[in-house]
Amino acid sequence: MKQIHIKVNGKKFDLLVNEHEMLSSVIREKVGLTGTKVGCEQGSCGACTVVVNNEPVLSCITPAMRFDGAEITTIEGVSQNGELNRLQEKFVEKGAIQCGFCTPGMVITALDFVKKNPNPLLHEIKDALSGNLCRCTGYKKIIEAVAEYANEEYTGKRNLKSEIVNHKSVGVPRPYIEATKKVQGIADYADDHKMKDALHIKFVKSIFPHANILSIDTTEAMKLQGVRYIATGAELPITFGVLPLSQDETAMAIEKTRFIGEYVAAIAADTEEIAFEACKLVKVKYKPLKAFLTIDESLNDIGTAEKIHNTTKFNNNVHKKAELRFGDQQQGLKDAEIVSKMSFEMMGINHGFTEPHASTAFWDENGLTMISATQVSHYLHRALAKTMEVPLGRVRVIKPYLGGGFGGKSDPFAHEIIVAHIARKTGKPCRVRLSREEVFLNNHGRHPTKMEIQLGANKDGMLKVLDAEIAIDGGAYGSFGIVTSYYNGVLLQAPYKLDNFGFRTHRVYTNKPQCGAMRGHGAVNSRFAVESMIDDIAHRINMDPVEMRIKNFLEPNSLTVGHYRITSNGVKEAIDRVTKQSDWKNNHGKMPYGHGFGVACGFFISGSALPIIWNELPQSTVHLKVDFDGRVLITSGANDIGQGSDTMLSIIVAEVLGISMDKTFVIAADTLITPVDLGSYSSRVTFMAGNAAKDAAENLRKEISNAISKKMNVAVEELIYSSNSVFSNDKKVDLTWDQAIEIVTANRGAVNVSGKYISPKLGGDFKGAGAGLSPSYSFSACVSEVKVDLETGHVKIQNVWGAHDCGKALNPLAVEGQLEGSWHMGIGQVMTESMEYYNGLLVNNNFLDYKIPTSLDTPPIHTNIVETIDPEGPFGAKETGEGAIHAVLPSIANAIYDAVGVRITKMPIKSEDVLRLMKENKLKNVVA
Amino acid sequence: MNLLNDLNMIAEKIYIKAKTVEEAIQAAKSNGDNFCFLAGGTDVLVNKFQGTEEATCLIDITGIEELKNVTTDGNFLKIGSLIKLDDLKKHEAITMNFPALLEAAHQAASPMLRKTATIGGNILCENRCSFFNQSEFWREAVGYCLKCEGDVCIATGGKKACFSKFVSDTAPVLISANAQLEISNENGSKIIPLESIYTGDGINPRNLPKLALIKNIVLPLDKNFKIIFKKLRPREAVDFTSLTTAVSIDQFGDIKIVLGGIDPKPVVVAGSMNDKKEELIKQALKQSRIVDNDYYSRAYRKEMITVFLNQSFEELK
């Protein structure tokens, strides 16, 4: 240990640091400022950027010793005397903040850049931010914020802030309610919650994909000073899993391991470093078993080898076969005038959220408290009660601010169960944070997929038949896989009308990290295939692919072949908007070789109509409390994961009660305090928690109206709630909000009400009818423009025009942010992202080798919101977090076809594949 | 591999901040073999985190002021080894004479890394491979490759030689401009060609004596080089190179081709205006030992060598 003197944000610190300790660790753990985030531990994501002696540095790869005597500014030092810096204001105002985890680094980087480059070009801004990874926003709003800030600083002219209409909530673009906290780095995420005397946990991980564990020797590790507890799998024998039908996982491997990276032992020690060193001293003896690493290996009969799970039905590793058929596919294929048959292969991808998993657990007189980065506190609550063998009433799960999920934090995780267990065993709080490598090894990302699809149509462009044979690689455990298996098929039955439709999906277990739900769950890869094939048929029948799509669209208020109830449907308007904006008529098919335009559509559920765990609880319950001070406390179990659900709740309640949002206060996702919401998955929160909030607010309004009616002798129907007041048109009643609250609380005290949402009974009565059922569906369309380098095959996306029918944009700024983030994520999957394995070992397990698009790789995105006012959504709103992603991937592939005439059937689209296909085409043409 | 000493404590770590070249070398000497010089440290510290760099003594040389100058000395330009990649553009002598160097520097890593990483560090950047730049756990699981004390090269499926990639973006440009290094060690200074420090052995890719420090990078100013730089990578920022090409022509019509990212060392082919371009490309291809240890396949990277070189020749016309 050495002593260093540093000044952080003007305050002096004399600190003892380890000689090789990184500055990020000193700032976070010793100075105690946690606004500096650690996302990758290797300088690839930029979240840890701080300013040292007027120069920005990546604090996660900067030794603290280097800067003895230095003056350091962290994000907490950017705002002065409670006033945001003007760039921070811009970030808030422009909606450049979603999960907020990248925000501190982004702000510090941008501030330094603009200081040194006072009048930057747009491209220079993109370049300057290209080392700061954002997974939520698609960078668009961040770049806008920086550009406007730079311009204002340079010209001295301030753009007037668009004044937010005070008493109007729904439909007004506004920043998230917590945005100012996030932009100052003072919003606490899971790893920012410090507990006194906490132990730190690290894991011993399996180095074999499939092996029997012969012995685990922890003797040497236990001797290391500072090691407090070592847990192994046998201590936690109870299985868990997010789906009741796939409780196939234990917190650590027992008897055998099923993938490289699976936890074999967990060590709790006084410091993270000691725990890490102790892990190296644990000796595990394995007996390797035959590993199954590909879909084909696991589909086939495995002979005398050992299955991955002995629960599978046959002598193979098939986890689930899902099959549904409507109409007659065989006849349809015979009758269709044109049949396209194509095979596709898609690599697995990872959510790439910037905040690594982290959890803290402790036990006291109230049982277990777990602070964890989770999207679904409710299922974690249940999984903890089950695995810890305590009543549900002895578990409390708290979700702090959360740095992105995209489906990747929606299962209960092994590390959460392990920290809970060790905290109980040691009687001390226990903390864990995963390294980026461990985050990748936990995965639960999009399944690697192979599919063969037949699509038939007549020459007039009408679709006649769709038959899909799909296989998905689930990895070692179940996760959401049964749902994924169905979604790959069922979510092909819209947005086009189909009479003969069938699919069969096999999900297999393999000895790799498990796959699960990721944005656009289950439908992204099959949507890519079908949209590519529609494009193919359109070209073969010489029809504009836009026209062909329009011909086949399902109407609003119709039923799909699989009995989905389509209510509002804006797909026609969506495609109209993007084709008009991109000047499709004059561009598609009319560009020189190497330059092209492509189109595609998509749709998605607004929440699953059926809960994962069958019970009769409402899908969402929201409580409101109003007391003498007039503030309405909103409590909801819904998890804000950066998508803005807390703000959404506030908007809805304020709208119903006619009050300004500052008269509301949201407490969410604390299972002790907040009523059950099933969590942030399947794009359900705005629709379901939003409806519950609306119901609750209407119930509160009734209470207030009844009290006023009784006291002032007016009919409740005459009362109007608007502009922070309650009045009747004849002004017989003319109360301020506070006066109204005085009346309702008189002789009664605080008023508590509850609201709920229960999905209507929907769908057919056949087996599997529940898959993909939703009270409402969103629709979208994209046009993309690409240029292909004819010598290298490199594809550069020039523009993406997107439109999404979200029913009603409760907060247009947040909706735009979700759409832009979706399109950015789609661009990542289609262009550069893939999980690469070598003998079951994930090769690209970091943010350098796993290629999430940077600001420079993200094209201009043109965002369109389509509103159709859904009859059942709150104020007409539907989902917006996932549905937009589907169309963007195939629109890019179709643009490549338009540019160079090659049909893409693999994702990601690598330059080398494009070049090879171009050459093959040329050869074919020569032969022809 | 075991970092624990007899007292059952975690091994003691040392951090030394040198103020002069002599101090740095002295500090190195007194720490035997177990030290590592630290300039920007943007690669070294990641390697340390992953356990491929195990030195318990880090000698931070960023405080050595004499290594931070850019000067002209007759017909030579001297660039101090501690000049940060992002700062190269601040020196007119560089922007005027070697714009390709700025381009190469700008395409290295990401903006924030370039504000810490130095040009000396960049040319000494450790070779990379998908099977080497991994955590201790990962390398154990894969069975340790040749470069980390294993028996065979995993990328090639069992060869007895290491093909880790040489990945510096600036070095190919510098070599194409006949750069030399001014090296200091305990016996004083000497000047050697930059090209000569690369061995071609992926395990020990550089032959600089362990105690040596690069003081300056020395470039000739009297050759009027025109240099074309190109880099292949999946993203427009952050990524290490999949293929780097630098092609120079001087006032006498001498041509130099330097390739990076496709061999354990920079591949250098010298020729002249009058040579057949196809012949030069053929030589470059022949010398490149490309293996599948990259985002792009071996075949594609090989194919791109020809494409990039042809494009460069066109641009040099």
Side-chain angles (χ1 to χ4, degrees):
Chain A
M1 292 282 224
K2 280 268 157 53
Q3 193 173 29
I4 62 167
H5 311 277
I6 49 175
K7 217 187 226 182
V8 182
N9 304 331
K11 188 171 165 186
K12 276 187 177 171
F13 290 88
D14 296 330
L15 301 166
L16 278 179
V17 303
N18 295 321
E19 276 78 350
H20 292 185
E21 193 169 352
M22 293 301 129
L23 186 58
S24 55
S25 151
V26 170
I27 292 170
R28 288 181 56 81
E29 308 295 335
K30 293 187 173 152
V31 174
L33 294 176
T34 54
T36 302
K37 304 299 182 197
V38 177
C40 72
E41 307 124 333
Q42 58 166 22
S44 298
C45 81
C48 67
T49 308
V50 299
V51 175
V52 181
N53 298 335
N54 294 317
E55 285 294 331
V57 301
L58 294 163
S59 63
C60 80
I61 52 166
T62 299
M65 291 283 288
R66 170 172 292 172
F67 291 122
D68 188 6
E71 292 202 16
I72 296 166
T73 305
T74 68
I75 187 67
E76 291 92 341
V78 171
S79 53
Q80 295 292 328
N81 303 323
E83 294 256 331
L84 295 189
N85 171 289
R86 273 196 286 272
L87 177 64
Q88 290 176 309
E89 278 178 6
K90 281 288 170 217
F91 264 64
V92 171
E93 184 194 327
K94 292 283 165 193
I97 303 160
Q98 287 187 30
C99 86
F101 198 79
C102 77
T103 307
M106 205 62 95
V107 167
I108 296 260
T109 302
L111 270 179
D112 173 73
F113 167 70
V114 177
K115 195 166 122 193
K116 291 167 187 165
N117 303 271
N119 192 19
L121 301 170
L122 206 60
H123 183 80
E124 292 170 330
I125 296 174
K126 281 180 128 187
D127 186 57
L129 299 178
S130 63
N132 292 70
L133 205 66
C134 170
R135 191 60 157 172
C136 294
T137 64
Y139 305 103
K140 185 179 174 185
K141 296 192 184 306
I142 293 173
I143 293 164
E144 276 171 14
V146 176
E148 206 168 297
Y149 163 76
N151 183 264
E152 289 183 11
E153 291 297 297
Y154 187 70
T155 59
K157 283 186 212 146
R158 306 251 174 275
N159 286 354
L160 283 179
K161 238 204 252 177
S162 46
E163 197 57 45
I164 293 175
V165 189
N166 205 20
H167 310 305
K168 177 94 187 102
S169 309
V170 164
V172 179
R174 65 177 74 245
Y176 291 165
I177 49 180
E178 77 283 6
T180 50
K181 201 179 258 181
K182 285 177 174 172
V183 83
Q184 295 176 83
I186 52 176
D188 283 343
Y189 296 71
D191 189 45
D192 303 336
H193 284 265
K194 310 287 180 213
M195 303 295 298
K196 271 180 269 180
D197 201 24
L199 300 177
H200 299 257
I201 291 175
K202 287 279 177 192
F203 303 110
V204 177
K205 299 184 284 268
S206 168
I207 55 168
F208 288 98
H210 198 192
N212 284 321
I213 299 171
L214 302 179
S215 66
I216 304 173
D217 180 358
T218 59
T219 327
E220 288 305 309
M222 207 59 222
K223 284 184 197 160
L224 190 64
Q225 191 179 312
V227 170
R228 302 292 167 172
Y229 193 85
I230 302 180
T232 56
E235 293 172 37
L236 285 165
I238 297 174
T239 58
F240 65 93
V242 69
L243 303 183
L245 280 171
S246 310
Q247 304 278 306
D248 56 5
E249 197 176 348
T250 52
M252 285 174 278
I254 304 173
E255 289 174 5
K256 78 167 183 175
T257 70
R258 294 183 175 87
F259 68 96
I260 297 175
E262 184 164 21
Y263 303 147
V264 173
I267 300 186
D270 294 344
T271 69
E272 216 175 6
E273 195 188 10
I274 295 170
F276 180 76
E277 294 299 333
C279 285
K280 296 183 193 167
L281 301 176
V282 173
K283 296 183 191 79
V284 186
K285 280 196 185 133
Y286 298 95
K287 183 179 162 228
L289 298 164
K290 178 180 165 40
F292 302 91
L293 301 174
T294 65
I295 289 174
D296 291 339
E297 281 173 335
S298 278
L299 279 174
N300 295 335
D301 188 285
I302 59 168
T304 56
E306 184 173 320
K307 292 199 286 187
I308 297 173
H309 289 274
N310 58 18
T311 50
T312 46
K313 259 189 209 156
F314 302 104
N315 195 41
N316 57 26
N317 289 307
V318 174
H319 168 218
K320 172 74 188 173
K321 185 182 94 172
E323 182 169 11
L324 286 175
R325 300 204 173 270
F326 308 98
D328 185 336
Q329 292 93 66
Q330 290 316 313
Q331 195 57 42
L333 286 168
K334 274 187 206 154
D335 295 346
E337 291 167 356
I338 303 274
V339 174
S340 176
K341 182 176 179 178
M342 288 167 69
S343 299
F344 294 86
E345 195 173 350
M346 293 86 172
M347 300 292 285
I349 61 163
N350 182 269
H351 316 84
F353 42 74
T354 48
E355 178 208 19
H357 294 283
S359 309
T360 297
F362 62 90
W363 294 74
D364 59 16
E365 68 279 14
N366 298 310
L368 168 66
T369 300
M370 159 80 54
I371 302 168
S372 193
T374 177
Q375 290 180 238
V376 282
S377 313
H378 177 63
Y379 296 141
L380 177 56
H381 184 160
R382 287 180 182 267
L384 287 169
K386 183 187 179 200
T387 53
M388 296 295 110
E389 297 179 275
V390 294
L392 285 162
R394 302 292 292 167
V395 176
R396 176 184 186 186
V397 176
I398 300 170
K399 176 220 63 107
Y401 289 105
L402 188 129
F406 316 111
K409 291 171 180 165
S410 52
D411 297 63
F413 281 91
H415 64 264
E416 293 169 324
I417 289 158
I418 295 167
V419 283
H421 170 70
I422 299 182
R424 178 155 65 177
K425 286 285 178 190
T426 57
K428 287 188 175 210
C430 284
R431 296 176 64 185
V432 68
R433 56 171 167 189
L434 268 50
S435 67
R436 182 54 62 178
E437 181 188 45
E438 287 169 334
V439 173
F440 272 104
L441 292 173
N442 262 277
N443 194 25
H444 294 69
R446 183 137 28 251
H447 289 64
T449 308
K450 284 171 107 169
M451 53 180 81
E452 189 178 276
I453 296 186
Q454 297 186 86
L455 183 69
N458 279 353
K459 285 180 179 161
D460 61 0
M462 297 308 292
L463 291 173
K464 289 290 156 195
V465 59
L466 170 56
D467 194 354
E469 181 72 40
I470 299 159
I472 59 175
D473 180 348
Y477 294 101
S479 184
F480 280 89
I482 294 174
V483 179
T484 321
S485 304
Y486 275 106
Y487 278 9
N488 260 281
V490 291
L491 294 180
L492 291 174
Q493 62 186 285
Y496 311 108
K497 190 170 181 308
L498 282 164
D499 294 327
N500 303 303
F501 165 62
F503 75 91
R504 180 167 54 197
T505 306
H506 285 93
R507 181 185 195 261
V508 296
Y509 287 124
T510 56
N511 292 112
K512 292 186 294 194
Q514 64 187 298
C515 298
M518 180 171 166
R519 195 179 219 161
H521 189 188
V524 171
N525 290 344
S526 43
R527 173 61 48 199
F528 177 88
V530 167
E531 293 292 323
S532 299
M533 294 173 74
I534 292 175
D535 205 63
D536 180 54
I537 290 180
H539 279 94
R540 284 163 61 187
I541 60 173
N542 211 8
M543 182 180 278
D544 183 333
V546 169
E547 189 192 332
M548 179 167 165
R549 284 177 170 81
I550 291 173
K551 274 193 158 183
N552 286 284
F553 282 148
L554 284 157
E555 294 290 323
N557 303 311
S558 57
L559 266 190
T560 69
V561 65
H563 301 215
Y564 290 0
R565 182 194 75 176
I566 305 290
T567 51
S568 61
N569 177 352
V571 70
K572 173 72 170 52
E573 190 185 339
I575 204 167
D576 284 348
R577 293 267 283 273
V578 290
T579 47
K580 202 171 162 195
Q581 222 175 51
S582 62
D583 198 10
W584 174 264
K585 282 271 171 228
N586 291 315
N587 286 325
H588 174 253
K590 300 195 171 69
M591 291 290 122
Y593 187 63
H595 188 178
F597 285 71
V599 68
C601 297
F603 93 113
F604 202 62
I605 58 173
S606 273
S608 173
L610 302 172
I612 284 176
I613 298 169
W614 175 243
N615 62 55
E616 296 202 342
L617 281 173
Q619 275 136 326
S620 188
T621 305
V622 168
H623 288 172
L624 301 181
K625 182 215 80 177
V626 67
D627 208 341
F628 78 107
D629 58 3
R631 186 191 296 224
V632 180
L633 175 67
I634 306 166
T635 53
S636 158
N639 296 50
D640 195 322
I641 61 173
Q643 88 283 38
S645 64
D646 287 358
T647 308
M648 177 276 297
L649 295 170
S650 172
I651 288 172
I652 286 180
V653 170
E655 179 77 21
V656 172
L657 297 174
I659 55 178
S660 52
M661 282 169 63
D662 59 6
K663 291 193 186 301
T664 68
F665 191 101
V666 181
I667 292 180
D670 175 339
T671 65
L672 177 70
I673 297 167
T674 60
V676 171
D677 177 274
L678 300 182
S680 289
Y681 67 95
S682 85
S683 272
R684 53 175 297 289
V685 175
T686 293
F687 200 93
M688 297 184 176
N691 265 324
K694 185 161 174 275
D695 186 42
E698 284 163 358
N699 288 338
L700 179 58
R701 201 170 60 183
K702 268 182 219 155
E703 294 277 348
I704 300 168
S705 291
N706 286 338
I708 295 172
S709 164
K710 209 165 148 195
K711 186 176 164 85
M712 304 183 72
N713 205 18
V714 291
V716 291
E717 297 77 29
E718 283 182 35
L719 296 174
I720 295 164
Y721 288 72
S722 178
S723 309
N724 283 333
S725 56
V726 184
F727 57 93
S728 58
N729 272 332
D730 59 5
K731 296 286 167 184
K732 198 174 148 195
V733 176
D734 191 6
L735 301 166
T736 64
W737 175 254
D738 288 349
Q739 288 167 334
I741 296 308
E742 218 176 297
I743 291 171
V744 72
T745 53
N747 298 315
R748 176 180 179 183
V751 177
N752 285 282
V753 300
S754 178
K756 63 182 184 300
Y757 178 76
I758 300 171
S759 174
K761 294 276 173 280
L762 296 164
D765 56 4
F766 50 89
K767 187 171 178 279
L773 274 189
S774 174
S776 180
Y777 297 90
S778 72
F779 295 87
S780 65
C782 277
V783 167
S784 292
E785 177 190 5
V786 303
K787 280 187 177 165
V788 181
D789 185 314
L790 302 180
E791 288 185 284
T792 64
H794 178 72
V795 176
K796 175 89 179 156
I797 307 169
Q798 306 292 309
N799 280 292
V800 170
W801 295 269
H804 181 79
D805 161 24
C806 67
K808 167 76 189 171
L810 300 176
N811 179 359
L813 195 65
V815 170
E816 285 170 9
Q818 287 296 299
L819 299 181
E820 287 151 13
S822 287
W823 292 323
H824 173 259
M825 196 174 278
I827 288 167
Q829 181 179 0
V830 77
M831 298 308 297
T832 45
E833 291 178 37
S834 77
M835 297 183 73
E836 306 278 347
Y837 289 92
Y838 174 83
N839 289 347
L841 188 51
L842 181 65
V843 178
N844 52 345
N845 51 52
N846 57 67
F847 277 162
L848 175 60
D849 298 312
Y850 184 84
K851 315 280 185 195
I852 293 173
T854 72
S855 50
L856 283 172
D857 303 296
T858 310
I861 291 172
H862 311 276
T863 313
N864 293 276
I865 298 173
V866 173
E867 296 192 325
T868 49
I869 312 300
D870 187 77
E872 207 165 308
F875 297 100
K878 304 190 281 191
E879 79 87 31
T880 199
E882 299 188 72
I885 195 173
H886 299 94
V888 71
L889 301 89
S891 77
I892 291 165
N894 292 341
I896 294 172
Y897 184 85
D898 189 43
V900 291
V902 304
R903 184 60 65 198
I904 303 295
T905 57
K906 279 185 181 174
M907 286 199 289
I909 303 171
K910 285 192 167 183
S911 310
E912 50 191 293
D913 293 331
V914 177
L915 190 65
R916 180 177 45 77
L917 291 167
M918 282 161 62
K919 283 185 185 163
E920 284 173 10
N921 255 9
K922 234 179 226 169
L923 274 178
K924 265 188 238 160
N925 290 342
V926 169
V927 173
Chain B
M1 299 273 154
N2 192 343
L3 294 179
L4 307 175
N5 66 16
D6 297 342
L7 292 169
N8 201 12
M9 293 280 287
I10 294 161
E12 199 190 341
K13 291 168 181 165
I14 303 170
Y15 195 92
I16 296 167
K17 288 160 77 171
K19 285 265 173 271
T20 63
V21 171
E22 292 70 33
E23 241 179 77
I25 292 171
Q26 216 39 55
K29 249 179 116 174
S30 56
N31 278 284
D33 245 5
N34 200 353
F35 74 90
C36 180
F37 288 126
L38 199 64
T42 52
D43 288 310
V44 171
L45 290 167
V46 176
N47 292 347
K48 234 180 117 35
F49 181 75
Q50 294 191 322
T52 55
E53 170 57 62
E54 292 182 278
T56 54
C57 171
L58 294 177
I59 301 170
D60 187 336
I61 59 170
T62 53
I64 306 179
E65 292 303 320
E66 61 181 301
L67 305 183
K68 296 178 183 172
N69 301 317
V70 174
T71 51
T72 44
D73 182 356
N75 282 332
F76 291 99
L77 172 68
K78 284 178 147 189
I79 303 174
S81 59
L82 286 182
I83 299 285
K84 292 171 185 170
L85 293 179
D86 194 47
D87 289 342
L88 289 168
K89 61 174 183 272
K90 294 179 181 166
H91 300 277
E92 207 185 339
I94 302 175
T95 56
M96 295 287 288
N97 295 295
F98 299 99
L101 179 59
L102 299 185
E103 212 182 314
H106 190 75
Q107 292 201 25
S110 72
M112 213 50 68
L113 287 165
R114 296 194 291 269
K115 288 177 190 293
T116 300
T118 64
I119 185 154
N122 190 255
I123 61 182
L124 297 180
C125 179
E126 186 54 57
N127 280 19
R128 297 182 67 86
C129 178
S130 318
F131 298 90
F132 173 72
N133 294 95
Q134 298 285 357
S135 68
E136 168 71 27
F137 147 76
W138 198 99
R139 286 176 287 119
E140 186 187 358
V142 85
Y144 296 110
C145 75
L146 262 183
K147 195 165 165 61
C148 43
E149 291 146 29
D151 299 326
V152 292
C153 163
I154 297 169
T156 54
K159 287 199 175 166
K160 292 279 185 184
C162 170
F163 299 90
S164 63
K165 285 191 303 176
F166 162 77
V167 291
S168 167
D169 287 309
T170 57
V173 171
L174 291 169
I175 293 171
S176 80
N178 295 347
Q180 297 186 293
L181 298 180
E182 187 185 345
I183 309 271
S184 264
N185 62 18
E186 47 187 334
N187 307 318
S189 286
K190 63 174 178 177
I191 300 239
I192 55 170
L194 169 56
E195 189 187 332
S196 72
I197 69 167
Y198 300 110
T199 62
D201 168 11
I203 299 170
N204 294 302
R206 294 167 308 279
N207 60 16
L208 278 184
K210 188 115 199 211
L211 288 178
L213 273 178
I214 301 177
K215 284 175 82 170
N216 289 298
I217 295 137
V218 184
L219 287 161
L221 286 168
D222 56 355
K223 302 263 186 175
N224 279 328
F225 283 113
K226 188 174 177 196
I227 305 170
I228 304 295
F229 169 84
K230 292 189 185 297
K231 177 175 175 178
L232 177 70
R233 52 178 170 170
R235 293 180 294 183
E236 290 182 37
V238 184
D239 293 339
F240 279 101
T241 185
S242 297
L243 162 68
T244 301
T245 62
V247 182
S248 71
I249 184 164
D250 68 12
Q251 57 194 0
F252 309 109
D254 284 338
I255 285 177
K256 202 162 173 184
I257 297 171
V258 189
L259 309 181
I262 42 73
D263 193 272
K265 68 173 171 52
V267 163
V268 184
V269 175
S272 86
M273 280 273 279
N274 307 323
D275 290 333
K276 277 197 179 146
K277 304 291 177 292
E278 305 80 66
E279 276 307 311
L280 295 176
I281 293 173
K282 218 173 176 183
Q283 280 185 48
L285 288 171
K286 206 174 155 195
Q287 286 183 45
S288 304
R289 293 170 293 168
I290 319 174
V291 301
D292 274 317
N293 58 357
D294 186 82
Y295 179 86
Y296 292 115
S297 71
R298 176 180 177 276
Y300 181 68
R301 283 151 70 213
K302 187 172 176 192
E303 191 178 349
M304 286 306 105
I305 293 176
T306 307
V307 171
F308 277 20
L309 291 181
N310 275 323
Q311 287 176 348
S312 302
F313 291 140
E314 276 304 305
E315 289 169 43
L316 277 176
K317 271 183 187 167

